[in-house]
Amino acid sequence: MANITSLNVNGRKLPVSVDSQTSLLTVLRDYLNLTGAKYGCGEGQCGACTVLVDGQMTRSCVTQAGKVAGKQISTIEGLEKDGQLHPLQQAFIEADALQCGYCTSGMIMSGVALLKKNPKPSRAEIVKHMDRNMCRCGTYLRIVKAIEIASGTAKEVRK
Amino acid sequence: MKPLDDELEIELEIERYELFADPLYNFTFNRRQFLKVFSGGIALLVPMSNLLVASAQQEQGESGRGRFDQRVPNEIGAWIHIDEAGTVSVFTGKVELGQNIRTSLAQAVAEELHVSIESVRMVMADTDLTPFDAGTFGSRSIPFMAPQLRKAAAAARETLVALAADQLKVAPAEVRIVNARFVNHDASKSLSFADVAKGRKLVKAIPADVTITAVKDWTIAGKSVPKVGARDFVTGKHEYTSDMKRPGMLFGRVVRAAAMNSTLVSADTKAAEAISGVTVVRDGDFIGLAAPDPQTLARAEKAIAVHWKAPGQTSAAQLFEQLKRESSPGRGGARPVGSIADGMAQADKKLSQAYTVAYIAHAPLEPRAAVAEWKDNKLTVWTGTQRPFGVRSELAEAFRIPEENVRVIVPDTGSGYGGKHSGECAIEAARIARASGKPVKLVWTREEEFKWAYFRPAGVIEVSSGVKNDGTVTAWEFHNFNSGASAIQSKYAFPNQNIQFHNSQSPLRQGSYRGLAATANHFAREVHMDELAQLVGMDAVAFRLKNTQDQRLKAVLEAAAQAFGWGAKRPAGRGAGIACGFEKGSYVATAAEVSVDPKTKKVKLERVVASFECGAIVNPVHLHNQVEGAVVQAIGGALFETIDFQNGEILTAKFSRYRVPRFSDVPPIEIVLLDRKDSPSAGAGETPIVGLAPAVSTAIFEATGQRLRSLPLVPNLS
């Protein structure tokens, strides 16, 4: 089986030696110690494993590492810049858009992908884009609000 | 109506994991163990007995007037420690799973100590460091743990102030705590917490007469304090059990059968054992694997050939018939009141109906996970469980070692909803780790979580009732088969009632689920109430108000009705429903509006209003989040969640076959929180889930004329 020797993650070329068919999620978590992306289902249904590949929302649990070798992979760990949270990270805190937090990395990465291609999404566009991300604690309305805060379209912040 | 007394409820409750309401064993954190971890500084201890006294008083609805033992207690329920560096630490066995109890308890302590919430460090759910706790369930942390920690913190403050006054050579009444410093009247002299705690070795039990801050004077509690540690969650830094790595750690797997109750016929593991670095554990029907990396583990798993044999087992199609057939005689969910025969004789109209609820799964997004490490004959396991001490017992029993040789640590966990009371994954990880001689991480797959955890019990509920034309319910006979006794009683004043819970033989492994059977019992009761209201031509809200004298129930019902605009005309194809209830010290009323497409029969939840009252509100934003989350989770059980199973096999073991609520399923939800500063704070994690299903069933009835009496509702719409 073909092996890959490195992955570009968060702007850095990281050496790793794995079979190219290994899931990107496994490589990130178990070989590169980037555990921000989570395992939730292994079938691309829950979105907890979401990362960006060349800016596109990607389910890392159903993506083979070989398919993304050479591409730019962004994970939650790379979102904070110089100690400054990404506006969507900040908005998640402001909107209290999490309970257990296990879905949060995937939610934020999916939201970041949305805001990249659509900086002022409508509520319906947010729901449509985020619909493949699950939150079992039921904080969906707050996540919508967080995305609206980050995009500057929020009407009021829930307290 | 008098609530069920605790003893009776415990006797009846079939959700066996929650029988641990009171500690059954005496393996608690005793004084000797305490002194082992207490290194110096000042400690205030909460006796275990206090938590139990508080618990009993709460359930009797009495205000606190306990007399507490002044001696250093033998058994400690929680403690607050100010170490010699001045750090304030709170030690409690409670677990954080997203309900934000880490935040709420820190608020209580910060308030009484007159310090900021940031200066309180919460040490939670570590069986070596924290005192025994039965578990984090039953909405108990806020009503029972928080007031005791308040007392401990208040006593700590008094002790520190007295010591500071002595050091400052001023009167204690002169000393205030400002910005984590003890200052005298004109702030000319001050001491830090470290200055006061340094060189001390002082241990006190909380005194009987310690006064805590009145609710009206709260400045930290009662406010929307952000989640403690929120930054670590939004940056992906927080380490869940499944994220952990230990030096030399192996990755573990368990080889499983397809069907429950399977026995191993044969297994060929030679090829797997031949792979370098792979450990194969064979122990009875258990086959475990470990490998240094996931790829090797996957290869080893593929190399194993296993044959299982499974007995014939009940399938979903026979479920409700079996639950009734195999049930025991009713054991009295409550003491019978009056006479059903008399009540029926007074009735103008009578109604008998049966209701069912399906098995559903908790499906916490973080599946069960454990990291197990043996050193000498001592075992440490990090695992996401709601019962760290219970899991410690399970481990000690499984490996026949003393409990003091087992340490269970629970990192803040990716949710539970009552589904993580048990220690299967911890035991499996420990078994594989013992065989391999290295630390082992085992993370269950989603399929394993669906198949090998446990479910919310399915149930059949039969209700027979009589009602007068003026809306007075005269007779109420209620039989719950298998789903449980929680909230089988209500706040309705039925003059003649016979309410019984019947144990049964469940074909699937069942256990706790957020709210336990309160959802099933409210579903049956509230839909039945709506049917009765309809029989006598009364409005659903007026009918309920007529049958209760409970002012708090009336208040939430009226608040929900008002916010919803109850009674407004709705267009064709739309319907509305309302339901209310009480459980675990809190009150809820939920109103829902649906639309039903006449052609496709697609049900859309258009909006929900939930009013909720749990006494004095501790953290409004987190309470709002809890109530909203419960409503969202309830959508799944109400509309579409159901476990399908055939001959011992779970057929719905992945999210593509088990639908849970998503963004697009969630309508606008309005939450009305009633803040009752005159009532003790009750827990809020469970009760808000109970009202949605009956409200939606009724709404669908109004929209379509079809009365749906089985959960989930949607598949039953014809």
Side-chain angles (χ1 to χ4, degrees):
Chain A
M1 278 179 283
N3 258 35
I4 56 165
T5 54
S6 70
L7 284 178
N8 298 324
V9 185
N10 300 328
R12 289 167 58 202
K13 189 169 176 174
L14 303 177
V16 62
S17 176
V18 288
D19 161 13
S20 62
Q21 292 181 336
T22 310
S23 80
L24 175 58
L25 180 67
T26 298
V27 178
L28 290 171
R29 289 178 54 80
D30 298 334
Y31 292 84
L32 298 173
N33 295 325
L34 294 168
T35 55
K38 306 297 182 201
Y39 167 83
C41 69
E43 54 168 346
Q45 284 279 328
C46 80
C49 67
T50 304
V51 299
L52 307 188
V53 176
D54 288 344
Q56 296 291 310
M57 176 168 85
T58 302
R59 302 296 188 233
S60 65
C61 75
V62 289
T63 302
Q64 293 182 358
K67 295 267 162 66
V68 297
K71 298 186 179 178
Q72 295 301 323
I73 300 158
S74 310
T75 71
I76 189 82
E77 287 88 350
L79 217 49
E80 192 180 349
K81 296 273 188 259
D82 306 322
Q84 286 289 309
L85 294 180
H86 184 281
L88 188 54
Q89 290 175 309
Q90 193 59 53
F92 263 66
I93 297 177
E94 197 178 338
D96 198 39
L98 64 152
Q99 284 182 22
C100 81
Y102 195 78
C103 73
T104 305
S105 298
M107 289 287 180
I108 290 177
M109 295 314 288
S110 293
V112 166
L114 171 65
L115 294 175
K116 265 181 203 271
K117 63 176 184 188
N118 183 356
K120 301 273 176 208
S122 67
R123 184 161 279 225
E125 287 169 333
I126 294 172
V127 167
K128 186 163 181 245
H129 177 87
M130 300 296 292
D131 210 29
R132 303 292 281 177
N133 281 69
M134 275 176 197
C135 168
R136 292 290 295 135
C137 300
T139 64
Y140 293 123
L141 297 175
R142 291 169 174 278
I143 293 168
V144 171
K145 177 67 78 184
I147 294 173
E148 289 175 343
I149 291 171
S151 71
T153 59
K155 290 191 184 71
E156 34 86 46
V157 178
R158 197 176 268 167
K159 284 292 172 198
Chain B
M1 195 63 54
K2 207 175 166 302
L4 277 175
D5 66 62
D6 205 27
E7 199 182 324
L8 189 61
E9 186 164 24
I10 283 170
E11 187 202 329
L12 286 165
E13 193 54 80
I14 61 148
E15 292 94 343
R16 61 192 177 99
Y17 298 110
E18 298 214 348
L19 292 180
F20 289 78
D22 295 337
L24 299 177
Y25 308 106
N26 207 16
F27 44 70
T28 66
F29 197 80
N30 60 31
R31 192 180 177 201
R32 195 163 48 86
Q33 286 168 283
F34 167 78
L35 290 173
K36 223 165 58 181
V37 289
F38 174 68
S39 56
I42 297 159
L44 270 295
L45 311 181
V46 178
M48 175 73 83
S49 56
N50 272 26
L51 296 174
L52 302 179
V53 168
S55 152
Q57 285 172 344
Q58 175 88 9
E59 270 152 43
Q60 289 157 17
E62 293 177 13
S63 59
R65 51 172 175 76
R67 293 184 56 79
F68 303 130
D69 194 339
Q70 293 259 24
R71 292 166 301 159
V72 174
N74 221 20
E75 295 164 26
I76 302 162
W79 58 293
I80 291 180
H81 181 208
I82 295 95
D83 71 13
E84 292 190 68
T87 307
V88 177
S89 301
V90 178
F91 292 78
T92 164
K94 293 296 175 198
V95 175
E96 173 62 46
L97 305 115
Q99 81 281 37
N100 285 320
I101 198 64
R102 181 181 287 282
T103 309
S104 306
L105 294 179
Q107 280 177 277
V109 170
E111 179 129 70
E112 298 298 342
L113 262 178
H114 299 182
V115 297
S116 70
I117 192 166
E118 292 76 21
S119 47
V120 176
R121 174 175 154 255
M122 299 293 300
V123 179
M124 298 172 70
D126 178 333
T127 60
D128 266 17
L129 297 183
T130 65
F132 175 85
D133 185 79
T136 304
F137 53 71
S139 297
R140 299 170 73 87
S141 303
I142 283 291
F144 307 138
M145 184 58 78
Q148 297 303 321
L149 287 180
R150 268 187 183 275
K151 284 183 185 161
R157 185 196 66 232
E158 285 176 11
T159 304
L160 288 161
V161 162
L163 295 170
D166 197 43
Q167 270 176 259
L168 292 168
K169 300 194 176 17
V170 298
E174 200 187 302
V175 175
R176 289 171 303 129
I177 302 174
V178 180
N179 295 329
R181 292 187 75 82
F182 300 90
V183 298
N184 69 336
H185 73 285
D186 60 358
S188 59
K189 295 195 269 187
S190 77
L191 293 169
S192 69
F193 273 58
D195 295 334
V196 178
K198 206 178 298 166
R200 311 264 181 198
K201 200 155 189 174
L202 181 58
V203 178
K204 289 175 85 172
I206 57 172
D209 56 353
V210 61
T211 49
I212 61 174
T213 311
V215 175
K216 66 177 174 49
D217 298 323
W218 283 359
T219 56
I220 297 176
K223 298 281 186 301
S224 290
V225 171
K227 181 182 182 71
V228 168
R231 196 183 172 101
D232 284 349
F233 289 95
V234 302
T235 53
K237 284 197 186 82
H238 172 70
E239 243 188 21
Y240 297 87
T241 300
S242 48
D243 299 329
M244 287 186 60
K245 201 165 191 180
R246 301 285 301 165
M249 186 186 85
L250 306 179
F251 294 81
R253 286 285 291 148
V254 176
V255 179
R256 312 242 184 221
M260 295 173 289
N261 303 307
S262 294
T263 47
L264 188 62
V265 177
S266 67
D268 182 354
T269 57
K270 283 198 192 69
E273 284 163 41
I275 300 172
S276 164
V278 170
T279 303
V280 178
V281 189
R282 301 272 307 264
D283 192 342
D285 283 351
F286 178 80
I287 306 176
L289 295 172
D293 62 86
Q295 289 181 100
T296 310
L297 184 66
R299 270 204 296 144
E301 201 182 356
K302 271 192 201 132
I304 286 181
V306 191
H307 293 286
W308 301 95
K309 193 174 85 183
Q313 295 172 66
T314 304
S315 298
Q318 295 107 44
L319 171 64
F320 296 122
E321 188 265 329
Q322 166 169 327
L323 291 181
K324 274 211 69 185
R325 190 186 63 234
E326 303 289 335
S327 65
S328 59
R331 293 168 64 201
R335 292 171 194 88
V337 176
S339 147
I340 293 293
D342 290 355
M344 287 295 192
Q346 294 157 22
D348 294 314
K349 297 202 168 66
K350 295 169 196 171
L351 181 68
S352 290
Q353 286 296 355
Y355 307 82
T356 63
V357 302
Y359 289 110
I360 63 175
H362 314 78
L365 208 54
E366 183 187 26
R368 278 167 169 67
V371 175
E373 185 171 305
W374 292 86
K375 271 197 185 131
D376 305 322
N377 205 27
K378 292 194 173 172
L379 171 65
T380 302
V381 180
W382 292 262
T383 188
T385 176
Q386 297 173 245
R387 289 178 56 244
F389 290 85
V391 170
R392 182 179 69 171
S393 302
E394 288 184 41
L395 287 162
E397 201 178 321
F399 297 99
R400 297 181 187 85
I401 54 176
E403 289 191 332
E404 53 266 32
N405 287 7
V406 183
R407 179 179 188 181
V408 174
I409 303 169
V410 184
D412 289 10
T413 292
S415 76
Y417 321 114
K420 287 183 178 166
H421 288 200
S422 46
E424 313 83 351
C425 184
I427 292 171
E428 291 161 358
R431 182 68 189 86
I432 302 171
R434 198 174 66 169
S436 62
K438 289 184 176 162
V440 166
K441 174 158 80 176
L442 176 65
V443 180
W444 276 19
T445 63
R446 177 56 54 196
E447 185 184 355
E448 287 177 299
E449 184 65 37
F450 269 117
K451 285 189 169 181
W452 304 104
Y454 53 86
F455 301 104
R456 181 192 78 179
V460 178
I461 298 171
E462 293 178 343
V463 189
S464 297
S465 62
V467 62
K468 284 188 190 169
N469 283 331
D470 71 355
T472 309
V473 175
T474 55
W476 184 264
E477 183 152 17
F478 190 100
H479 296 270
N480 177 315
F481 300 89
N482 189 61
S483 77
S486 292
I488 199 166
Q489 270 280 25
S490 74
K491 292 286 180 187
Y492 293 124
F494 302 138
N496 303 290
Q497 62 177 25
N498 178 19
I499 297 173
Q500 296 193 13
F501 166 66
H502 306 256
N503 234 321
S504 188
Q505 292 291 322
S506 169
L508 302 189
R509 190 174 177 221
Q510 58 185 22
S512 297
Y513 182 103
R514 192 177 201 173
L516 305 178
T519 294
N521 288 321
H522 275 93
F523 174 67
R525 180 166 54 239
E526 288 296 290
V527 172
H528 197 86
M529 286 295 278
D530 199 79
E531 295 187 66
L532 289 180
Q534 214 219 351
L535 262 186
V536 296
M538 258 179 94
D539 170 74
V541 173
F543 182 74
R544 284 171 169 82
L545 292 173
K546 188 174 178 70
N547 283 287
T548 186
Q549 267 95 57
D550 191 294
Q551 294 308 316
R552 291 171 74 180
L553 186 68
K554 287 182 176 183
V556 288
L557 183 58
E558 285 166 345
Q562 196 195 353
F564 188 79
W566 185 253
K569 279 241 176 295
R570 275 168 293 276
R574 290 247 177 162
I578 195 164
C580 62
F582 164 82
E583 173 67 353
K584 296 194 172 102
S586 65
Y587 291 79
V588 66
T590 311
E593 182 170 343
V594 303
S595 63
V596 181
D597 186 299
K599 281 207 191 88
T600 63
K601 299 290 176 193
K602 190 175 155 39
V603 175
K604 183 163 185 269
L605 197 47
E606 296 286 347
R607 65 191 181 103
V608 173
V609 171
S611 65
F612 186 66
E613 189 255 289
C614 58
I617 296 174
V618 175
N619 186 323
V621 68
H622 288 165
L623 178 62
H624 190 288
N625 202 340
Q626 268 307 307
V627 176
E628 192 171 275
V631 169
V632 171
Q633 192 154 56
I635 292 171
L639 290 180
F640 35 71
E641 282 182 45
T642 184
I643 291 293
D644 193 10
F645 57 101
Q646 196 166 30
N647 207 16
E649 199 171 338
I650 304 298
L651 304 176
T652 45
K654 44 168 95 173
F655 279 132
S656 52
R657 294 202 191 142
Y658 186 85
R659 184 175 166 204
V660 299
R662 291 181 180 274
F663 277 92
S664 56
D665 293 311
V666 180
I669 300 171
E670 184 181 347
I671 311 282
V672 181
L673 299 177
L674 306 183
D675 191 8
R676 286 203 46 158
K677 296 196 191 301
D678 58 334
S679 288
S681 308
E686 300 185 82
T687 302
I689 203 170
V690 305
L692 186 82
V696 171
S697 170
T698 303
I700 292 173
F701 173 73
E702 194 183 89
T704 65
Q706 275 191 65
R707 186 67 81 172
L708 302 179
R709 300 185 184 89
S710 295
L711 294 181
L713 299 166
V714 162
N716 301 296
L717 196 60
S718 56

